C-alpha cells in the first residue's frame, strides 16, 4: 500500500481551483457544490467537502423537512411553551416537571443501519440517543424502542428481528438503563426497511441544564471517550481513494451495493477501496458508554463544563461546527491531536468518522486539570484538541497546515432548504373509497369466539414477552410500570415519589389512509396510554419515518402528518419539544407505510398513585369509557382476517381524550387498559392475562362491532364504586357503558360469545412470537 | 448502625439499587471504589450486579483483579459476610471465594423475568431471616446465569447443604440442579444470580421478598 499522503490544504485548494472533486458521489447536487464554492470563495478542500457533504445531507440538515417542521413552532403557543426549557434544535427537548426537576426526552431512528447489520445498527441507535440525553446535562434513566419489521413469517424478518432485539437489549442492558416499553409491529411494507427507533428519557435538576455552545475565547475544546477509527465513515471514503494513490485495490472505487441500496440517506455514495473495506455501520461498545455517562455526570456535578455536544452522525464535523456555530466566537481544532485507533487516517476521515461513545466539551482553561482528573478516574481518554477563538471561523489544522477554514454556521445551520413538490397522490381517492364495509363479518357466537382467539394470536396483537424478556426493566430501581403496561413509568424523586410516564405509538395503516388524521390518532393513543397510567400528559416528541422526499406523494403524507400532529398538540395544549425525521424508507421502490411515531411524556405527582394496567379486584365493576362506532377501516381485524386496507380511519376526538385523562386522574379507578388495535376484544384478552383474573362481560349493540371496532378515545376501567365514578363521568360529559364485573374465576366470559379460559387464551397469546423466532 | 459496603467497578449497574436495599433494611450503605484497597470499616460487603469491565474476556474475570477485591478476599476468609449478586456472584466465583462458574444462558438470550425461588438454606449470614423452604419471587436478569461445576463439586454443595436458592417452576438458564445461589461452607459468603435488591418494594418490583436478605445480614453482623 502506498501511503504518500497529499493533504489538501486551503492554500492548495485556492491555487488549484479546477481540480475535479467527487462531490456528486458524496451526495451533493451541482448547485450545492457551487454554493459551497461561493461561501468559501474557492473550491473546498477534501476535508471541507467531507464536512459539508455530511452536514448538508438529509439526515443532518433536514433540508426537505425544514419548511414543514416550522409549523410545529408556529402552532406552539406561549402557554404551551411555558414549561419548555429547551425545544426543537437542541440535542433533545427539556421540560420542567416541578419540584426543580427537568426531564429531557427524544426519539431517533436508526433504520438503515439496522437493516444492514441488525445487532450493531440497533445497539448504536440506543447509544446515540442516550448520548443526546446526556449532552443536555441529564442522567439517562430509561429507554424505549418502537420497532417495525416486515411480515412476521418472512424469512428476512427472522434475520433482522432477533438481531435488532438482541442489539437493543445488549446495549441498553449493559448500559444499565431499564427498557420500559416500545412497540413491535409487523407489516410487509417494512420488509426491506425495518424501523428501529430508540427513545431515551433523562432527568436533571433545572439548574444543571447544559446546552451545546462554545463560548468564551480561550476556552478549551476537549474530545473524550473512545478513540476515533475508520468505522462509520460511509461515503467519505471516496476521498480517501483519491488521496491514497496506488492502493492495492486500484484507484477505481468499488461500489458497495448493500450499503448503497439500503442507506441512501446516510451513505449517498458508499464507495470504498480495498484498503477501506470496513463496515459503514458503526460498532457499539456499551461498556465505554456506561463509563462515559458516569464520567460526564461527575463533570457536570463539578460544574466545569461550559458547553457539551455528543458525537453522533457526522462525528467531529458535526460536533465542532455545531458547537462553534452556537457559540459567540470561532474555533481552532488541531486535528492531529485526535486519538486514533487506525493508522493513516486522513483529515477528512477523522472529521467524518462516526466512531461511537465520544463527547466533545468546552472547558475554561482553569478547569482543564480538574476535567482531566475526573476523566482519569473513570479511565476515559480525554484530549485537548483545540480552543474557542475570537474570530468567527472554524479553522482546523493538520500538523500545522490548514485543512478547514469555514464560517461554522454555513456548515451546521445554513444548509440547503428545499421546497419539495407536494401533491396528494391520485390513488388516495381509491384508497379511501375501498371501505371495509362489505367484508364478511363473524356473526355466530362460535365465529366470534374463534375470531377473538385468532386475533389474540396474530403477530401484531400477540404477547411481546419474547422480546421484552430480553430487556432489563428493573435496573436503577425506579421502574413502576413497564411492558406489558400501556405506558412505561419511572420514579424520578425517591423522597416525593414524583415520576414520569412515557408511551410511543403509531398505526401506519391509519396514516396511510389519512396522514393528517393518522398522525393525530398516533398522538391520541400515546396520550391515552400515558393518561391510562394516571399521569398528566405534558409534552411530545416524534420520529417521522417516511419514504422518499423526492416523491411528491410521500411529501404530501409528510406535510399532512406534520400538520395533523402539530394541530393536535395545539388542541391538547402540549408542545412538541423535539423530534427526528427519517426519509428514504422504502422496500424496493415502494415507500413504507407513513410512520410518524409519537412519544408522549406525562408527569405524576406520586408514582404510588399510578393506575395498574389490566383488571381490578374481583367484584369491581368494568366500565368502558367513550363511544363505540362501526369503525373497521385500517383495523387489525381487517388486516389479519381479510388483508384489507382502505377507507377512512377512526374519527379523531382529542377533546374526549382530554376528558378521559382528567377523569382518570381524579381517581376511583383500580385498573385500566386503553383500547387500540384489536378493539375491546383484545383489551379484554390482555387485561385478563396480564392480571391473571377473569371477568364477565355483556356487550351492547352489534357484538362484532362492540368487540373489534377501533373507535378512538376509549378506555376500559375497573372501579370499586361505580355510582360515584359514573356520576363523575356524567359531570365531565364523558359517555360510559357498564360492561360487567371482574370475577374471581379464571375465564373471560362474554355474553352471547361464550367462555374463554385463561390458560387457552394464554397459550394462543404467548405462543406466537416464540414459535416464529424461537 | 451497621455499615454495609457496596462495590462499584467500571460497568457496575445495580450498585445504587443494592445501596437502596441496605437502606430499606435499616443499614447504612457505604460506597466502595474498585481502585481503592480499602473496605472503609464496613461490617459486610455486597458485590452488586452489572457488566463490570463490559464482561470482557469472561464475566467477572477482570473485576477479580481490582485492588478492592484483594481486601474482600482477605476479609471474607476472616468471616466477613459477603453477598455477590449476579455479576457479583460471577466475580466471587472468579475470585475463588465460591466454587463453580456461570456460563451463557441455555437459551442464548438475556433473560429478565420474575423468578420463583426456594430458599434451601437459612443458616447463612444472608438468609437467616427466611423460613426454611420459603418460596420467594425475585427478578432474574442476566446473559450468563447458567451455574456450572464439576459433578463432584455439585455433589459436595448438595451434600453440605450449600445450595442456598433453587429455581422452582422454571429453570431460566439451564443451571445444574436448578441452582440459583450457593454459599461458602461457613455460610458467610453467598452468591446468587437473581436480584434481591429489585424485590424490596411492590411498587418497583414483583414484591418485597428480597428485603429479608439485607435484614438477615444486619441481624448477623449485630449478633
Amino acid at each position: 500500500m502506498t501511503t504518500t499522503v497529499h493533504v489538501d490544504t486551503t492554500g492548495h485548494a485556492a491555487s488549484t481551483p479546477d481540480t475535479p472533486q467527487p462531490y456528486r458521489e458524496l451526495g451533493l447536487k451541482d448547485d450545492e457544490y457551487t454554493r459551497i464554492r461561493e461561501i468559501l470563495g474557492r473550491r473546498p478542500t477534501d476535508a471541507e467537502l467531507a464536512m459539508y457533504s455530511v452536514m448538508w445531507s438529509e439526515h443532518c440538515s433536514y433540508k426537505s423537512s425544514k419548511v414543514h417542521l416550522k409549523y410545529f413552532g408556529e402552532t406552539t403557543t406561549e402557554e404551551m411553551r411555558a414549561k419548555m426549557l429547551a425545544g426543537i434544535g437542541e440535542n433533545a427537548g427539556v421540560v420542567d416537571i416541578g419540584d426543580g426537576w427537568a426531564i429531557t426526552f427524544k426519539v431517533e431512528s436508526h433504520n438503515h443501519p439496522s437493516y444492514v447489520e441488525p445487532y450493531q445498527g440497533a445497539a448504536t441507535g440506543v447509544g446515540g440517543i442516550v448520548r443526546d440525553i446526556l449532552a443536555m446535562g441529564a442522567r439517562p434513566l430509561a429507554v424505549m424502542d418502537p420497532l417495525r419489521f416486515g411480515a412476521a413469517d418472512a424469512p428476512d424478518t427472522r434475520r433482522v428481528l432477533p438481531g435488532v432485539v438482541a442489539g437493543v437489549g445488549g446495549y441498553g442492558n449493559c448500559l444499565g438503563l431499564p427498557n420500559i416499553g416500545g412497540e413491535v409491529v409487523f407489516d410487509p411494507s417494512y420488509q426491506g426497511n425495518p424501523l428501529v427507533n430508540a427513545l431515551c428519557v433523562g432527568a436533571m435538576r433545572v439548574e444543571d441544564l447544559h446546552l451545546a455552545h462554545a463560548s468564551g475565547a480561550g476556552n478549551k475544546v476537549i474530545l473524550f471517550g473512545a478513540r476515533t477509527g475508520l468505522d462509520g465513515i460511509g461515503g467519505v471514503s471516496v476521498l480517501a481513494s483519491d488521496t491514497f494513490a496506488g492502493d492495492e485495490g486500484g484507484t477505481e472505487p468499488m461500489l458497495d451495493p448493500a450499503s448503497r441500496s439500503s442507506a441512501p440517506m446516510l451513505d449517498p455514495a458508499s464507495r470504498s477501496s480495498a484498503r477501506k473495506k470496513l463496515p459503514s455501520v458503526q460498532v457499539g461498545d456499551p461498556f465505554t458508554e456506561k463509563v462515559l455517562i458516569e464520567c460526564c455526570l461527575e463533570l457536570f456535578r463539578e460544574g466545569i463544563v461550559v458547553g457539551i455536544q455528543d458525537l453522533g452522525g457526522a462525528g467531529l464535523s458535526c460536533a465542532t461546527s455545531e458547537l462553534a456555530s452556537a457559540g459567540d466566537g470561532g474555533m481552532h481544532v488541531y486535528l492531529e491531536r485526535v486519538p486514533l485507533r487506525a493508522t493513516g487516517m486522513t483529515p477528512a476521515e477523522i472529521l467524518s468518522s462516526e466512531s461511537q461513545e465520544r463527547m466533545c466539551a468546552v472547558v475554561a482553561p482553569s478547569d482543564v486539570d480538574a476535567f482531566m482528573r475526573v476523566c482519569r478516574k473513570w479511565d476515559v481518554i480525554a484530549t485537548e484538541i483545540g480552543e474557542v477563538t475570537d474570530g468567527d471561523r472554524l479553522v482546523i489544522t493538520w500538523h500545522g497546515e490548514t485543512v478547514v477554514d469555514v464560517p461554522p454556521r454555513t456548515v451546521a445551520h445554513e444548509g440547503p432548504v428545499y421546497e419539495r413538490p407536494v401533491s396528494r397522490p391520485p390513488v388516495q381517492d381509491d384508497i379511501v373509497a375501498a371501505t371495509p364495509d362489505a367484508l364478511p363479518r363473524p356473526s355466530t357466537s362460535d365465529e366470534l369466539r374463534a375470531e377473538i382467539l385468532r386475533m389474540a394470536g396474530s403477530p401484531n396483537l400477540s404477547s411481546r414477552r419474547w422480546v421484552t424478556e430480553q430487556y432489563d426493566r428493573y435496573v436503577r430501581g425506579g421502574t413502576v410500570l413497564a411492558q406489558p403496561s400501556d405506558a412505561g413509568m419511572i420514579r424520578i424523586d425517591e423522597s416525593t415519589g414524583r415520576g414520569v410516564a412515557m408511551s410511543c405509538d403509531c398505526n401506519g395503516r391509519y396514516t396511510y389512509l389519512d396522514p393528517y388524521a393518522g398522525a393525530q390518532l398516533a398522538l391520541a393513543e400515546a396520550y391515552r396510554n400515558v393518561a391510562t397510567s394516571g399521569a398528566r400528559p405534558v409534552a411530545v416528541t416524534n420520529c417521522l419515518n417516511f419514504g422518499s422526499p423526492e416523491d411528491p406523494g410521500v411529501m404530501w403524507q409528510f406535510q399532512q402528518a406534520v400538520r395533523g400532529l402539530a394541530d393536535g398538540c395545539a388542541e391538547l395544549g402540549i408542545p412538541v419539544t423535539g423530534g427526528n425525521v427519517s426519509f428514504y424508507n422504502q422496500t424496493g421502490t415502494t415507500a413504507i407505510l407513513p410512520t410518524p411515531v409519537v412519544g408522549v411524556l406525562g408527569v405524576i405527582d406520586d408514582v404510588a398513585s399510578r393506575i395498574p394496567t389490566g383488571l381490578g379486584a374481583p367484584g369491581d365493576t368494568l366500565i368502558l369509557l367513550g363511544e363505540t362506532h362501526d369503525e373497521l377501516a385500517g383495523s387489525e381485524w381487517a388486516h389479519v382476517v381479510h388483508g384489507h386496507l382502505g377507507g377512512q380511519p377512526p374519527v379523531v376526538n382529542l377533546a374526549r381524550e382530554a376528558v378521559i385523562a382528567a377523569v382518570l386522574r381524579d381517581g376511583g379507578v383500580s385498573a385500566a387498559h386503553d383500547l387500540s388495535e384489536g378493539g375491546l376484544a383484545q383489551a379484554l384478552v390482555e387485561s385478563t392475562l396480564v392480571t391473571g383474573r377473569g371477568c364477565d362481560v355483556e356487550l351492547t349493540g352489534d357484538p362484532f362491532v362492540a368487540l373489534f371496532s377501533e373507535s378512538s378515545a376509549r378506555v376500559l376501567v375497573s372501579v370499586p364504586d361505580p355510582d360515584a365514578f359514573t356520576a363523575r363521568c356524567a359531570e365531565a360529559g364523558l359517555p360510559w357503558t357498564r360492561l360487567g364485573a371482574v370475577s374471581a374465576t379464571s375465564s373471560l366470559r362474554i355474553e352471547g360469545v361464550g367462555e374463554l379460559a385463561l390458560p387457552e387464551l394464554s397459550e394462543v397469546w404467548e405462543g406466537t412470537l416464540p414459535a416464529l423466532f424461537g | 448502625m451497621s455499615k454495609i459496603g457496596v462495590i462499584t467497578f467500571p460497568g457496575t449497574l445495580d450498585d445504587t439499587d443494592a445501596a437502596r436495599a441496605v437502606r430499606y433494611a435499616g443499614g447504612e450503605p457505604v460506597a466502595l471504589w474498585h481502585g481503592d484497597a480499602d473496605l472503609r470499616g464496613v461490617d459486610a460487603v455486597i458485590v452488586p450486579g452489572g457488566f463490570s469491565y463490559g464482561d470482557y474476556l469472561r464475566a467477572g474475570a477482570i473485576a477479580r483483579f481490582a485492588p478492592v477485591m484483594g481486601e474482600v478476599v482477605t476479609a471474607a476468609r476472616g468471616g466477613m459476610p459477603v453477598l455477590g449478586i449476579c455479576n457479583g456472584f460471577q466475580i466471587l466465583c472468579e475470585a475463588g471465594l465460591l466454587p463453580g462458574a456461570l456460563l451463557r444462558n441455555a437459551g442464548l438470550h438475556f433473560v429478565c423475568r420474575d423468578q420463583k425461588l426456594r430458599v434451601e438454606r437459612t443458616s447463612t449470614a444472608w438468609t437467616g431471616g427466611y423460613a426454611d423452604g420459603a418460596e420467594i419471587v425475585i427478578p432474574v436478569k442476566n446473559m450468563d446465569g447458567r451455574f456450572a461445576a464439576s459433578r463432584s463439586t455439585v455433589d459436595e454443595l448438595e451434600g453440605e447443604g450449600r445450595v442456598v436458592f433453587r429455581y422452582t417452576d422454571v429453570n431460566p438458564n439451564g443451571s445444574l440442579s436448578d441452582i440459583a445461589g450457593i454459599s461458602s461452607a461457613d455460610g458467610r459468603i453467598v452468591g446468587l444470580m437473581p436480584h434481591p435488591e429489585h424485590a424490596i418494594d411492590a411498587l418497583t418490583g414483583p414484591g418485597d421478598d428480597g428485603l429479608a436478605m439485607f435484614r438477615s445480614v444486619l441481624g448477623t453482623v449485630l449478633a
Side-chain angles (χ1 to χ4, degrees):
Chain A
M1 180 174 78
T2 312
T3 53
T4 325
V5 181
H6 308 289
V7 177
D8 190 19
T9 62
T10 50
H12 183 245
S15 63
T16 55
D18 301 326
T19 302
Q21 293 190 281
Y23 63 89
R24 282 192 194 131
E25 288 87 333
L26 291 168
L28 288 167
K29 301 277 192 282
D30 291 355
D31 57 334
E32 292 173 345
Y33 178 66
T34 306
R35 213 184 123 212
I36 295 168
R37 293 187 70 122
E38 283 165 13
I39 290 168
L40 299 176
R42 56 171 164 78
R43 73 161 175 87
T45 64
D46 282 354
E48 288 166 343
L49 189 60
M51 285 181 87
Y52 278 106
S53 69
V54 194
M55 289 302 289
W56 285 14
S57 69
E58 188 65 59
H59 182 66
C60 295
S61 73
Y62 291 76
K63 58 188 166 190
S64 302
S65 54
K66 232 176 202 169
V67 293
H68 301 287
L69 297 176
K70 269 196 315 206
Y71 192 66
F72 284 123
E74 290 162 13
T75 47
T76 306
T77 62
E78 275 314 305
E79 196 185 342
M80 287 158 72
R81 227 181 288 272
K83 297 282 181 196
M84 247 165 84
L85 301 174
I88 296 169
E90 294 295 343
N91 281 313
V94 182
V95 183
D96 185 339
I97 65 156
D99 288 351
W101 286 104
I103 296 295
T104 176
F105 69 119
K106 191 182 180 186
V107 55
E108 262 195 357
S109 64
H110 228 216
N111 303 338
H112 300 116
S114 301
Y115 177 66
V116 178
E117 214 302 293
Y119 185 98
Q120 292 297 345
T124 54
V126 174
I129 193 67
V130 168
R131 284 194 304 281
D132 273 337
I133 296 306
L134 182 61
M136 299 309 294
R139 175 179 277 283
L141 289 177
V143 293
M144 284 181 132
D145 56 304
L147 307 176
R148 284 170 173 77
F149 304 99
D153 56 0
D156 200 48
T157 303
R158 225 163 284 177
R159 171 185 74 93
V160 176
L161 182 142
V164 165
V165 170
V168 168
Y171 205 97
N173 295 341
C174 189
L175 215 48
L177 292 177
N179 191 307
I180 59 171
E183 299 173 277
V184 178
V185 178
F186 299 98
D187 186 275
S189 79
Y190 306 114
Q191 193 64 61
N193 197 124
L195 300 187
V196 175
N197 296 174
L199 179 149
C200 183
V201 188
M204 70 195 115
R205 300 302 293 171
V206 170
E207 62 271 19
D208 292 339
L209 176 62
H210 279 75
L211 299 180
H213 57 74
S215 293
N219 281 344
K220 301 301 180 188
V221 179
I222 298 179
L223 176 66
F224 62 118
R227 290 172 178 272
T228 299
L230 281 164
D231 52 328
I233 285 186
V236 174
S237 49
V238 71
L239 287 169
S241 60
D242 285 355
T243 309
F244 286 74
D247 279 359
E248 55 196 50
T251 48
E252 185 61 32
M254 291 189 296
L255 199 61
D256 177 349
S259 56
R260 179 153 181 97
S261 64
S262 61
M265 180 180 66
L266 297 174
D267 316 350
S270 194
R271 288 160 181 244
S272 53
S273 69
R275 189 189 76 88
K276 302 292 176 187
K277 208 71 184 169
L278 278 166
S280 57
V281 174
Q282 314 85 326
V283 177
D285 176 1
F287 167 66
T288 300
E289 180 129 319
K290 166 66 179 171
V291 174
L292 191 58
I293 291 173
E294 298 304 330
C295 178
C296 278
L297 291 170
E298 188 162 336
L299 291 167
F300 295 151
R301 277 198 301 274
E302 300 274 325
I304 51 180
V305 176
V306 176
I308 189 159
Q309 170 82 42
D310 65 300
L311 273 70
L316 267 174
S317 293
C318 179
T320 53
S321 61
E322 287 196 347
L323 276 169
S325 175
D328 52 13
M331 186 183 285
H332 187 153
V333 173
Y334 305 88
L335 205 57
E336 72 279 0
R337 295 185 187 171
V338 173
L340 304 178
R341 60 168 175 243
T343 54
M345 286 181 73
T346 66
E349 287 173 329
I350 295 167
L351 283 168
S352 312
S353 165
E354 294 187 357
S355 290
Q356 299 290 292
E357 293 96 22
R358 297 179 298 161
M359 302 286 283
C360 197
V362 175
V363 181
S366 56
D367 290 330
V368 169
D369 284 349
F371 190 99
M372 295 300 180
R373 199 158 47 239
V374 171
C375 289
R376 270 197 304 277
K377 173 181 166 187
W378 290 100
D379 292 321
V380 168
I381 300 171
T383 313
E384 194 185 304
I385 61 163
E387 66 240 343
V388 179
T389 58
D390 276 330
D392 55 1
R393 309 284 287 187
L394 169 61
V395 175
I396 300 178
T397 54
W398 173 250
H399 296 291
E401 296 190 285
T402 303
V403 292
V404 171
D405 184 354
V406 298
R409 280 200 68 81
T410 65
V411 179
H413 291 115
E414 290 162 6
V417 176
Y418 289 148
E419 294 256 11
R420 302 266 193 202
V422 172
S423 84
R424 183 173 184 271
V427 69
Q428 201 70 26
D429 287 332
D430 302 337
I431 294 168
V432 172
T435 69
D437 300 349
L439 299 176
R441 298 175 169 192
S443 53
T444 68
S445 55
D446 282 351
E447 285 170 356
L448 285 165
R449 190 181 183 284
E451 213 98 310
I452 292 172
L453 286 168
R454 180 176 175 187
M455 294 292 291
S458 66
N460 282 335
L461 298 184
S462 64
S463 168
R464 268 59 196 129
R465 186 193 300 270
W466 186 87
V467 172
T468 56
E469 270 197 353
Q470 297 186 49
Y471 303 152
D472 184 347
R473 63 181 178 276
Y474 283 114
V475 67
R476 300 205 60 75
T479 306
V480 175
L481 297 173
Q483 287 276 26
S485 294
D486 287 329
M489 184 181 287
I490 49 171
R491 181 172 58 194
I492 300 296
D493 189 323
E494 286 194 44
S495 60
T496 63
R498 183 167 292 256
V500 294
M502 190 80 224
S503 179
C504 38
D505 297 279
C506 180
N507 184 326
R509 289 193 303 266
Y510 294 166
T511 323
Y512 176 76
L513 299 180
D514 181 341
Y516 185 94
Q520 294 201 331
L521 287 164
L523 169 67
E525 188 183 348
Y527 182 95
R528 192 185 321 130
N529 278 328
V530 164
T532 301
S533 74
R536 178 168 40 89
V538 295
V540 176
T541 188
N542 60 66
C543 191
L544 308 174
N545 306 274
F546 287 78
S548 167
E550 294 161 39
D551 175 343
V554 168
M555 276 318 282
W556 173 77
Q557 292 174 332
F558 182 77
Q559 175 213 49
Q560 290 295 304
V562 166
R563 294 200 157 243
L565 179 56
D567 291 345
C569 288
E571 185 174 348
L572 289 167
I574 54 176
V576 173
T577 63
N580 175 239
V581 178
S582 173
F583 279 131
Y584 296 102
N585 294 290
Q586 43 201 43
T587 292
T589 53
T590 310
I592 58 161
L593 293 175
T595 312
V597 172
V598 178
V600 170
L601 175 81
V603 180
I604 185 161
D605 293 338
D606 184 354
V607 290
S609 67
R610 89 283 185 214
I611 303 174
T613 296
L615 298 176
D620 283 0
T621 302
L622 269 182
I623 287 174
L624 179 61
L625 301 178
E627 289 172 303
T628 304
H629 306 288
D630 188 335
E631 294 181 297
L632 276 305
S635 68
E636 202 62 43
W637 174 81
H639 173 69
V640 170
V641 178
H642 296 287
H644 178 273
L645 177 54
Q648 283 285 359
V651 170
V652 179
N653 190 341
L654 296 174
R656 173 75 51 79
E657 305 281 3
V659 171
I660 289 177
V663 167
L664 289 173
R665 276 202 305 282
D666 285 345
V669 173
S670 54
H673 190 19
D674 98 301
L675 268 62
S676 55
E677 285 89 353
L680 177 64
Q682 185 63 19
L684 288 168
V685 167
E686 289 172 3
S687 295
T688 51
L689 289 176
V690 165
T691 323
R693 207 169 280 149
C695 61
D696 299 321
V697 171
E698 225 173 301
L699 303 172
T700 42
D702 177 342
F704 166 76
V705 172
L707 285 169
F708 296 107
S709 163
E710 295 186 5
S711 294
S712 69
R714 295 184 302 161
V715 173
L716 175 70
V717 295
S718 302
V719 294
D721 182 350
D723 292 342
F725 182 78
T726 54
R728 172 75 189 100
C729 291
E731 191 188 317
L734 175 59
W736 56 273
T737 315
R738 186 184 291 254
L739 278 183
V742 182
S743 71
T745 69
S746 55
S747 64
L748 166 58
R749 277 202 294 259
I750 306 175
E751 185 79 21
V753 174
E755 186 167 339
L756 294 137
L758 262 54
E760 182 188 9
L761 270 179
S762 174
E763 200 179 313
V764 168
W765 190 57
E766 296 283 5
T768 305
L769 292 191
L772 284 164
F773 303 106
Chain B
M1 196 186 291
S2 303
K3 292 180 174 180
I4 311 294
V6 178
I7 302 179
T8 300
F9 298 95
T12 293
L13 306 176
D14 303 276
D15 44 355
T16 52
D17 305 320
R20 184 188 300 111
V22 168
R23 249 186 354 260
Y24 274 42
E28 181 191 344
V30 175
L32 301 178
W33 185 244
H34 69 100
D36 298 338
D38 181 0
L39 296 186
R40 299 178 62 191
V42 298
D43 305 299
V45 170
I46 297 172
V47 191
F51 290 81
S52 58
Y53 299 93
D55 273 1
Y56 294 144
L57 186 59
R58 203 169 56 238
I62 302 177
R64 64 156 289 209
F65 292 106
V68 76
M69 282 308 295
E71 299 301 307
V72 170
V73 169
T74 307
R77 299 216 191 282
M80 179 182 282
V82 177
L83 176 68
I85 302 169
C86 196
N87 193 224
F89 184 16
Q90 295 160 345
I91 294 168
L92 295 187
C93 290
E94 289 287 338
L97 288 176
L98 291 171
L102 285 309
L103 308 182
R104 182 64 36 108
N105 292 339
L108 304 181
H109 292 304
F110 187 96
V111 174
C112 174
R113 62 193 308 270
D114 297 342
Q115 178 68 45
K116 271 192 192 160
L117 304 176
R118 191 168 53 244
V119 183
E120 300 277 42
R121 180 182 181 190
T122 55
S123 60
T124 79
W126 299 89
T127 53
Y130 289 103
D132 271 323
E135 300 251 341
I136 60 176
V137 178
I138 306 266
V140 66
K141 54 182 188 85
N142 60 62
M143 189 73 174
D144 299 298
R146 176 162 60 97
F147 182 77
S150 68
R151 195 66 253 172
S152 61
T153 301
V154 173
D155 288 346
E156 193 181 312
L157 288 170
E158 296 280 10
E160 294 177 6
R162 290 166 57 190
V163 173
V164 183
F165 301 102
R166 220 184 287 275
Y167 300 116
T168 64
D169 278 2
V170 178
N171 179 334
N173 47 33
S175 287
L176 276 178
S177 308
D178 300 331
I179 290 174
I182 57 174
S183 72
S184 57
D186 64 2
R188 307 294 281 185
I189 308 168
V190 169
L192 80 166
M193 286 313 295
H195 287 259
E197 79 281 20
H198 289 295
I200 58 169
D201 178 358
L203 187 63
T204 54
D208 62 1
D209 288 349
L211 204 50
M213 226 169 290
F214 304 93
R215 287 192 176 133
S216 297
V217 76
L218 293 174
T220 303
V221 297
L222 284 176

